[in-house]
Amino acid sequence: MTSNAPDACPGQRLGLPRDGAGSVARVGRRIGALVIDYGAAYLISGFFAFDALAILAIFGAIQIVFLPTLQASPGHRIFGLRLEMVGGGWVGLWRPIIRTVLLIVVIPAVIWDADQRGLHDKAVGTILVRR
């Protein structure tokens, strides 16, 4: 079955299940995780007078520290998500850095393919899935 079929689901052509553990993370969970991570960065930035650059730096640090160690940011964990390589496995150390820079730029994160992978994930070969 091709991804253009009416009953195709995100991740199907990557061999991922339609729903449940291992399926592609849907938009609601992704946005919820982003709100948690950005909110945490905002609160922590209070120590730096809520400076906009401090917020972005803290958000980036949260992503870069937690993605390679726990396969998920705190927001991802709360919403039952994990980041992995498209074929499965650990994302390594450099992928979270590149992914986070692209996420902060925003545009790559809001352009998706049929598998609901943003350009920031496609660029580094990762996918956000449900735990």
Side-chain angles (χ1 to χ4, degrees), residues 34 41 43 70 89-90:
L34 183 65
L43 291 175
L70 299 176
W90 184 52

Side-chain angles (χ1 to χ4, degrees), residues 50-70:
F50 299 103
D51 182 68
L53 289 178
I55 296 169
L56 287 177
I58 294 165
F59 175 80
I62 289 170
Q63 300 298 306
I64 292 168
V65 168
F66 287 102
L67 290 177
T69 57
L70 299 176

Side-chain angles (χ1 to χ4, degrees), residues 6-20:
D7 58 345
C9 66
Q12 182 177 16
R13 51 188 195 117
L14 300 173
L16 300 176
R18 180 178 296 274
D19 52 21

Side-chain angles (χ1 to χ4, degrees), residues 78-102:
I78 289 169
F79 281 90
L81 307 175
R82 86 173 171 266
L83 186 71
E84 63 181 37
M85 296 298 298
V86 170
W90 184 52
V91 297
L93 297 173
W94 67 269
R95 285 180 186 89
I97 294 169
I98 303 298
R99 182 184 187 274
T100 299
V101 168
L102 293 173

